[in-house]
Amino acid sequence: MTSNSAPAARPAHVVPQAMPRSIAPPRLRSATTEPAWVKWTLIGTALAFLTFFLFVPLAIVFVEALKKGWDVYLAAIVEPDAVSAIKLTLIAAAISVPMNLVFGVAAAWAIAKFEFRGKSLLLTLIDLPFSVSPVISGLIFVLVFGLQGWFGEALRDHDLKVIFAVPGIVLATVFITFPFVARELIPLMQAQGTEQEEAARVLGASGWQIFWRVTLPNVKWALLYGVILCNARAMGEFGAVSVVSGHIRGQTNTMPLHIEILYNEYQFAAAFAVASLLALLALVTLALKYAVEQRVKAEAGRGGVPAHADSPAEGPELSEGAARQGQKRGTDDRSE
């Protein structure tokens, strides 16, 4: 007996349910998105500030320097006292920048790559020139190396002169500028860590090989950036150098000190002429700084690979035997 069971009829009062709609999340405004008037107000304020406090004074320096013609301008630059001030400024920078380069690299390498007692104290001492007035630092050198200072009598007995002479100017410049290189390298080295150095050590590299072929290529642009800033501060330093120089015209005056003397003597054309040279040096420094920043951005866009990472380095190469020995050593360590 077959039964033809028909499907149950749907009750008339039952309404088919609609599929739930997906509700789109509300669009959040970016944290850096502001109304147009706010953006242009900020840009206009920044441009106005730069115009009145940077561009206009810089333009005035060159206008006043050339106000009486090229003859007066060139005469102020080739004047013997001006030439002596330019030479002394370059000498102080040429001595202090390499010294701070060596110190900055050594301090940054020690702080970023090693753990030791007194590490925080060393970091604090590196920042000391930023927190102490340059005039105070100059007075410290006078109290230490002056005729009435701690080493004054010994220096006088050996006919050595530090204060009111070139050595004192170099010492003051070195003290004021030594944080720049170290402070550019320390954050970068700390961010990079020690993995690459440890890998090079496992592969048999010596300490100097690790430094020249691993550490230095990774920090070369930060190193150059710090050297540029250090050189700019060395050539423009006034406070500390003013205290230890003695203001002896033609002997211990740097360019900033020579500009002050000329201005106080109402030789405005000559003062602005020498100041224009200092401004040109500052503009060259800014151009170099910009070039370094662009190069760093370009390398970061390519993955941050050092420019000469694929080129053969100078010095003894890591042999294949050393590499195999390092790999075997790492395998044995993992098996243990």
Side-chain angles (χ1 to χ4, degrees):
M1 182 176 181
T2 60
S3 63
N4 295 329
S5 59
R10 181 179 296 174
H13 64 276
V14 176
V15 179
Q17 296 181 356
M19 297 295 293
R21 291 183 179 181
S22 59
I23 302 175
R27 296 182 61 184
L28 298 178
R29 191 176 66 177
S30 174
T32 58
T33 301
E34 297 292 343
W37 68 271
V38 175
K39 179 176 65 175
W40 290 111
T41 300
L42 293 176
I43 294 175
T45 303
L47 289 178
F49 185 87
L50 290 176
T51 300
F52 288 106
F53 292 96
L54 179 62
F55 299 142
V56 171
L58 189 62
I60 290 176
V61 169
F62 289 98
V63 170
E64 292 293 331
L66 299 172
K67 189 175 183 179
K68 295 184 178 181
W70 283 98
D71 294 336
V72 177
Y73 179 84
L74 295 177
I77 292 177
V78 300
E79 194 260 337
D81 290 343
V83 173
S84 175
I86 294 171
K87 288 182 179 179
L88 183 56
T89 302
L90 296 178
I91 289 172
I95 296 175
S96 61
V97 171
M99 292 178 65
N100 288 325
L101 171 65
V102 175
F103 167 79
V105 172
W109 198 13
I111 291 173
K113 305 298 181 180
F114 302 98
E115 295 293 336
F116 54 91
R117 290 184 178 179
K119 185 175 179 178
S120 299
L121 177 61
L122 180 58
L123 278 170
T124 303
L125 293 177
I126 289 176
D127 291 335
L128 187 62
F130 288 149
S131 58
V132 176
S133 170
V135 176
I136 300 301
S137 63
L139 288 175
I140 292 174
F141 286 111
V142 172
L143 293 175
V144 174
F145 299 105
L147 292 178
Q148 306 300 324
W150 294 352
F151 303 106
E153 186 175 352
L155 293 172
R156 184 180 58 224
D157 294 340
H158 292 84
D159 196 21
L160 298 175
K161 197 172 183 180
V162 175
I163 302 301
F164 306 150
V166 176
I169 295 174
V170 173
L171 281 176
T173 306
V174 169
F175 176 81
I176 292 299
T177 58
F178 79 78
F180 287 95
V181 176
R183 268 304 172 189
E184 289 296 326
L185 294 179
I186 290 173
L188 178 60
M189 286 188 173
Q190 288 177 337
Q192 290 176 348
T194 60
E195 290 81 4
Q196 295 184 10
E197 285 82 359
E198 292 172 356
R201 172 62 71 183
V202 170
L203 293 175
S206 63
W208 280 110
Q209 284 179 318
I210 293 174
F211 175 76
W212 287 108
R213 300 175 58 189
V214 178
T215 304
L216 191 59
N218 289 334
V219 300
K220 60 181 179 179
W221 295 116
L223 180 62
L224 181 58
Y225 191 84
V227 168
I228 291 173
L229 295 179
C230 178
N231 181 69
R233 181 62 188 274
M235 291 189 297
E237 175 55 31
F238 179 85
V241 173
S242 177
V243 175
V244 301
S245 70
H247 294 268
I248 305 174
R249 300 187 69 162
Q251 297 183 26
T252 62
N253 271 345
T254 58
M255 291 177 68
L257 302 181
H258 184 63
I259 293 170
E260 181 198 25
I261 290 177
L262 292 175
Y263 194 84
N264 291 335
E265 294 178 351
Y266 302 102
Q267 301 182 36
F268 299 122
F272 280 109
V274 181
S276 67
L277 288 181
L278 207 56
L280 286 175
L281 292 174
L283 293 176
V284 171
T285 301
L286 287 176
L288 292 175
K289 174 177 171 289
Y290 178 78
V292 171
E293 289 176 346
Q294 295 303 311
R295 186 61 183 268
V296 171
K297 290 180 180 178
E299 287 202 357
R302 294 196 300 265
V305 180
H308 57 282
D310 298 329
S311 60
E314 297 178 359
E317 300 291 338
L318 297 178
S319 62
E320 295 181 1
R324 287 195 298 269
Q325 181 180 359
Q327 293 174 355
K328 182 176 182 300
R329 188 186 310 166
T331 305
D332 294 341
D333 294 340
R334 287 194 297 269
S335 63
E336 291 177 359

